[in-house]
């Protein structure tokens, strides 16, 4: 049994202010000295970066973690949560979209409501009250009664215009039975810049973000009843789950017979370089943990600044991010581009997702990239966004042929051609197509995956690095 005080911060729709409230609460409670564990429903990479910054005031050093029931499966939500929240004083889970919105055409799957039920966590509903008064009670009543298994324990009113407006809202909600636990006034003081894929990642504006976070914590601290929210979090019952661990082996795995990472001598641990810095900010914390547990020494490097790969690099992981924003700088680092190309051409394992795919291409918006793949990338006016189901077309450094995965795509770029002679994946849902590239040790694709759902991918990758 796992006993962790916890709250899910949800909203009737996107744009209501749940990111503001969730992040502000994380910062406010951290400033009080609580060890806060931050979580995000869905596949989003950017919000967890702000969550990580928000909890740093409490010195917890905990990374923001994702809880995506589509990508990892419902059975892993509780274990992944328990792993991330182990030893914390309070866990705060920011929802995605509207409370009951999930994977398209698949009912409640991957919705905030589903995750709240899997975690047996009370929900705080953030309502944009800017254009309503008494109607707010009908809205809250509808959300609270739609699914009796979802426990809405409180409301935070956002974008309230005045004391008179607040009074009208409170009077209406008195009849709903759902207590008001916070009121935030309309303000333009705290803002986070955005661009074509949402908020600008915290790694690109850390100094400004720190100042904004302090102000946001102050707003939430002044406008919310932190004691009532903490009491609500503590009312969550124990979870009957076993925490997930990166060292766990799936039953029947042929890799279970490999030497355990803890028994490997230090010199035998292959160095796996992981792209980081402002251009490559999209990653899940569990990926590094899985690589480390599989026996690798994970070493980050910044393709914008480092002219060489880390010493002894035997494998390379290049995740998502914004290479299109930094294409001139990435291209100008010719020495590193050559080093990456040499490593890839040597047959070393290289795993690239989305931004990594573009970095390995011949060019991006006309700027030379690494030239590992015979393809060219460019910005487009069309957003590609959504969950995908896919099957590995052939063997690669990441997966055996036939391996089935669930992932997501999120980009405004296109690559021409979109698949090589040996594709990485055959997408089977929502449409059927070939996607990505497998060449020598390279596995490159637009598809983002969560390795906690398929941990053998990390073990296979490290095994290839050590071989």
């Amino acid at each position: 049994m796992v006993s962790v005080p916890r709250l899910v911060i949800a909203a009737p729709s996107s744009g209501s202010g749940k990111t503001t409230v969730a992040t502000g609460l994380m910062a406010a409670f951290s400033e009080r000295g609580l060890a806060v564990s931050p979580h995000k429903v869905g596949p989003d990479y950017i919000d967890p970066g702000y969550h990580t910054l928000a909890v740093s005031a409490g010195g917890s050093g905990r990374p923001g973690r994702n809880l995506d029931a589509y990508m990892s499966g419902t059975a892993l939500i509780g274990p992944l949560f328990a792993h991330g929240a182990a030893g914390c004083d309070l866990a705060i889970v920011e929802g995605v979209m509207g409370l009951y919105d999930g994977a398209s055409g698949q009912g409640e799957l991957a919705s905030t409501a589903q995750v709240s039920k899997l975690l047996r966590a009370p929900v705080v509903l953030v309502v944009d009250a800017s254009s309503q008064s008494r109607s707010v009670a009908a809205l809250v009543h509808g959300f609270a009664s739609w699914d009796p298994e979802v426990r809405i324990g409180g409301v935070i009113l956002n974008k309230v215009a005045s004391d008179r407006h607040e009074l009208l809202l409170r009077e209406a909600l008195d009849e709903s039975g759902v207590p008001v636990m916070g009121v935030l006034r309309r303000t333009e003081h705290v803002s986070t810049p955005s661009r074509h894929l949402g908020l600008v990642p915290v790694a690109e504006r850390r100094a400004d973000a720190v100042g904004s976070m302090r102000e946001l914590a102050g707003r939430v601290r002044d406008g919310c009843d932190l004691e009532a929210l903490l009491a609500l979090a503590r009312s969550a019952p124990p979870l009957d789950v076993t925490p997930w661990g990166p060292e766990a082996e799936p039953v029947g795995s042929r890799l279970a017979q490999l030497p355990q990472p803890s028994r490997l001598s230090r010199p035998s641990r292959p160095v796996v370089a992981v792209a980081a810095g402002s251009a490559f900010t999209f990653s899940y914390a569990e990926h590094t943990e899985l690589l480390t547990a599989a026996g690798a020494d994970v070493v980050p490097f910044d393709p914008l600044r480092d002219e060489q790969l880390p010493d002894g690099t035997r494998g390379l992981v290049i995740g998502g991010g914004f290479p299109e924003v930094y294409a001139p700088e990435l291209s100008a680092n010719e020495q590193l581009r050559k080093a990456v190309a040499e490593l890839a051409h040597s047959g070393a394992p290289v795993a690239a997702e989305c931004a990594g795919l573009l970095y390995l291409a011949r060019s991006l918006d006309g700027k030379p990239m690494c030239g590992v793949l015979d393809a060219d990338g460019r910005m487009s006016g069309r957003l590609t966004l959504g969950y995908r189901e896919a099957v590995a077309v052939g063997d690669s450094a990441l997966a055996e042929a036939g391996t089935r995965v669930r992932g997501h795509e999120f980009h405004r770029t296109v690559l021409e051609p979109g698949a090589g002679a040996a594709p990485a994946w055959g997408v089977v849902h929502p449409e059927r197509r070939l996607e990505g590239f497998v060449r020598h040790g390279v596995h490159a694709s637009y598809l983002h995956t969560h390795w906690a759902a398929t941990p053998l991918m990390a073990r296979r990758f490290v095994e290839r690095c050590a071989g």
Side-chain angles (χ1 to χ4, degrees), residues 152-232:
I152 296 184
V155 175
I156 292 177
L157 301 170
N158 192 29
K159 301 180 184 178
V160 176
S162 63
D163 289 346
R164 173 62 178 164
H165 189 200
E166 178 182 342
L167 179 61
L168 293 172
L169 294 167
R170 286 184 178 276
E171 287 177 346
L173 286 167
D174 280 345
E175 303 175 31
S176 73
V178 181
V180 176
M181 293 188 169
V183 176
L184 301 179
R185 291 285 195 264
R186 293 181 192 171
T187 180
E188 301 296 331
H189 297 312
V190 181
S191 62
T192 302
S194 61
R195 57 173 175 238
H196 55 278
L197 292 183
L199 299 180
V200 174
V202 70
E204 299 184 43
R205 53 180 300 269
R206 189 171 186 87
D208 291 339
V210 168
S212 296
M213 197 63 64
R214 292 196 189 101
E215 188 171 351
L216 184 57
R219 275 191 66 205
V220 169
R221 184 175 57 248
D222 294 342
C224 296
D225 187 341
L226 298 186
E227 294 303 327
L229 289 163
L230 188 57
L232 179 63

Side-chain angles (χ1 to χ4, degrees), residues 112-407:
T112 304
Q114 183 186 49
V115 170
S116 75
K117 291 190 290 185
L118 291 169
L119 298 182
R120 303 181 70 192
V123 175
V124 176
L125 196 67
V126 179
V127 176
D128 178 351
S130 58
S131 300
Q132 57 186 315
S133 57
R134 191 166 182 266
S135 294
V136 72
L139 184 150
V140 171
H141 172 75
F143 273 81
S145 61
W146 178 260
D147 185 342
E149 294 183 53
V150 175
R151 177 190 171 198
I152 296 184
V155 175
I156 292 177
L157 301 170
N158 192 29
K159 301 180 184 178
V160 176
S162 63
D163 289 346
R164 173 62 178 164
H165 189 200
E166 178 182 342
L167 179 61
L168 293 172
L169 294 167
R170 286 184 178 276
E171 287 177 346
L173 286 167
D174 280 345
E175 303 175 31
S176 73
V178 181
V180 176
M181 293 188 169
V183 176
L184 301 179
R185 291 285 195 264
R186 293 181 192 171
T187 180
E188 301 296 331
H189 297 312
V190 181
S191 62
T192 302
S194 61
R195 57 173 175 238
H196 55 278
L197 292 183
L199 299 180
V200 174
V202 70
E204 299 184 43
R205 53 180 300 269
R206 189 171 186 87
D208 291 339
V210 168
S212 296
M213 197 63 64
R214 292 196 189 101
E215 188 171 351
L216 184 57
R219 275 191 66 205
V220 169
R221 184 175 57 248
D222 294 342
C224 296
D225 187 341
L226 298 186
E227 294 303 327
L229 289 163
L230 188 57
L232 179 63
R234 288 171 173 164
S235 73
L239 276 177
D240 187 11
V241 299
T242 299
W244 175 84
E247 70 289 341
E249 289 292 349
V251 175
S253 164
R254 69 173 184 82
L255 294 181
Q257 304 306 314
L258 291 175
Q260 291 300 305
S262 60
R263 297 178 184 174
L264 293 173
S265 62
R266 192 70 179 174
S268 70
R269 296 177 68 91
V271 172
V272 174
V274 177
S278 297
F280 298 96
T281 57
F282 294 3
S283 66
Y284 296 126
E286 291 82 2
H287 287 200
T288 296
E289 293 170 345
L290 282 162
L291 289 169
T292 301
D297 280 339
V298 178
V299 182
F301 72 102
D302 186 348
L304 290 174
R305 294 177 173 81
D306 296 325
E307 294 185 342
Q308 294 292 335
L309 292 169
D311 290 343
T313 293
R314 299 287 297 277
L316 176 60
V317 175
I318 316 173
F322 289 98
E324 62 271 25
V325 175
Y326 295 97
E329 293 91 337
L330 290 170
S331 185
N333 193 348
E334 185 176 358
Q335 194 168 340
L336 181 65
R337 289 194 289 111
K338 288 181 177 179
V340 169
E342 288 174 3
L343 183 75
H345 291 147
S346 76
V350 178
E353 287 185 353
C354 199
L357 169 73
L358 296 169
Y359 186 54
L360 294 182
R362 218 169 14 221
S363 68
L364 175 56
D365 285 336
K367 303 294 184 182
M369 292 290 123
C370 295
V372 174
L373 307 175
D374 295 326
D376 298 283
R378 60 176 174 82
M379 281 292 293
S380 76
R382 177 175 174 269
L383 174 64
T384 299
L385 171 65
Y387 286 123
R388 307 284 187 260
E389 291 184 34
V391 179
V393 176
D395 289 342
S396 72
L398 274 186
E400 292 183 350
T403 300
R404 300 185 70 89
V405 297
R406 284 185 165 187

Side-chain angles (χ1 to χ4, degrees), residues 16 65 127 154 308 321 423 432:
S16 299
R65 294 179 183 269
V127 176
Q308 294 292 335
R432 300 185 71 87

